[in-house]
Amino acid sequence: MKKKIIKTISGAMAAAIILSGCNSPQLKIDSEDEEAVEDSGEADSENESDEESTNESEEASTKGTEDEETEAKESDADSSADASDAASDADEESDSAKKDNDNDSKKKTDESEFEDITDYDSTVMLDGEELTEDELSDIQDFLNQHENNGFVATSYRTPDKANWNEVFYGGAGIENCDYPDEALDAYLDAIGEDFVEYDLIALSGDDVRSYVESKTGITDFDISLLDGFTYIEEYDILFDQVSDTNHVNIVCEEGIRRDDLIQVLVYGEMQKVGELGDYRRISLIETGDSDNPYMFYSNRELWEDYADSVIEASVYGTDETITCATSGTEYGPDIAIIEDNAVEDIIYPRLSDIDLSDFNDVKEIAFCDVNGDDLTDMVLILSDGDDTVAVVCDAHEYYEGYIEYSQGSSAVTIWLSDNVKKLTADNVIEYILNHQDEYNEL
């Protein structure tokens, strides 16, 4: 099985914005109260001239009031029209804002932070309703399907943290797309080859994005996360070649249901799911869709169950530590580097001229760039109960961004045993740093 790099991506969902409509402005007209007319005795004493003057004044006042009412009605009509236009504009602006925010939300879903609902760091199952044998059998069949099996052998706290190269290795059950000869030529030029040597995988970007959404709920998947493939952007096609498979037949041993969350404990059939051990705890979300009944949420390798010891390895010259799990074998110890409760890498210390089969007691682990190549090497102090040896596993870049460690050098181990009186990680590192030329010759 080819080794892959577990990559992570992170982000946040956009909130919807709803604009409220405008209230129509209303025009209020205040009318003055007419003065009361004095009693008839006083009215009779008024002369005719006064009566005429009064009548003329009343006519003028009435006319003025009618004009004001007319202007008020016209003003009110204009204001209502303006208010209606303003409300219409506000509605259009609100609809536009909603559409923009819906689009933004869809674009940013794949960058969202998933809430950890599975108690991922725990080594035990959640409390819930125990699954029946039939339910376990159905889920087992689902996980063993080619299109789903890539999610089994990669660890992830939430679906956006999955190793997508592992998920899509072999095509994830997606049919090869129709591609023009120009796209294939561009792929071959990109990898510096003249022909296709192994089985060709050709996945359209749309098929990949649709697949990820259906299996995890992540929308607008970032194609660049599939760095194990060669992406020909002009044609939106991902190419790769494979000569083997990463398929793992698994057995569901037990499981629970809590609301729409399913957790199952699985182990590999005929081969290990994890490099150091058998068991993983996979969490699924029930969808209610018979064609796609589950979405993948998390996959926790239960590395603690098979570790002989867990060591917080020092990083020389700093306060940092790296979590390592050790497991003894008939050939010597295996050392797993743990990151976010996932096995990121495994180192196999093995010496050509020294038998380490009895040196499974790992006393110390330290990391330091001992040869000046800007890569952090691993220093191990091992014991068989009587003797102690130091093994240095040099780091080297296997390909860009991926570091591998050597199995160690018998000559270096003998050299250190001959020259360092007390074999501790700090003493070994300081001796190597003070004798760089000798170490590099070895």
Side-chain angles (χ1 to χ4, degrees), residues 37 56 67 73 117 167 338 351:
V37 179
E56 290 176 359
D67 291 341
K73 290 179 181 179
I117 61 175
V167 170
I338 309 298
L351 302 178

Side-chain angles (χ1 to χ4, degrees), residues 150-178:
F151 284 99
V152 170
T154 170
S155 299
Y156 43 94
R157 178 181 292 272
T158 49
D160 56 324
K161 303 296 190 298
N163 181 344
W164 298 107
N165 292 321
E166 196 77 63
V167 170
F168 283 98
Y169 191 79
I174 303 173
E175 291 187 7
N176 276 5
C177 65
D178 293 328

Side-chain angles (χ1 to χ4, degrees), residues 114 142 148 151 156 159 211-218 260-262 282-288 292-298:
F114 291 84
F142 174 82
N148 301 315
F151 284 99
Y156 43 94
Y211 170 90
V212 171
E213 183 172 1
S214 68
K215 298 300 180 183
T216 68
I218 298 172
D260 61 352
L261 177 66
I262 298 287
I282 297 176
S283 298
L284 306 164
I285 304 295
E286 285 189 299
T287 66
N292 185 44
Y294 307 103
M295 290 197 297
F296 290 91
Y297 191 90
S298 72

Side-chain angles (χ1 to χ4, degrees), residues 373-388:
D373 63 356
D374 295 328
L375 297 176
T376 305
D377 309 298
M378 174 182 281
V379 176
L380 304 171
I381 306 300
L382 311 178
S383 173
D384 66 353
D386 296 320
D387 297 322
T388 301

Side-chain angles (χ1 to χ4, degrees), residues 45-66:
S45 65
E46 296 291 337
N47 54 41
E48 293 180 358
S49 176
D50 290 338
E51 289 179 358
E52 291 176 359
S53 175
T54 299
N55 291 335
E56 290 176 359
S57 175
E58 289 176 354
E59 289 177 1
S61 175
T62 301
K63 187 176 184 302
T65 301
E66 291 176 352

Side-chain angles (χ1 to χ4, degrees), residues 9 13 24 27 51 62 68 71 109 115 118 121 126 130 187 194 229 282 294 319 344 360 366 381 402 420 425 440:
I9 72 166
M13 292 190 67
S24 299
L27 182 62
E51 289 179 358
T62 301
E68 288 178 2
E71 290 177 0
T109 301
E115 181 184 2
T118 65
D121 293 316
L126 288 171
E130 188 173 336
Y187 161 64
D194 296 325
F229 284 68
I282 297 176
Y294 307 103
D319 294 330
E344 182 180 9
N360 281 315
I381 306 300
Y402 185 73
V420 181
N440 290 331

Side-chain angles (χ1 to χ4, degrees), residues 176-195:
N176 276 5
C177 65
D178 293 328
Y179 54 85
D181 292 340
E182 293 80 5
L184 180 60
D185 291 341
Y187 161 64
L188 293 174
D189 287 343
I191 65 173
E193 299 291 345
D194 296 325
F195 57 90

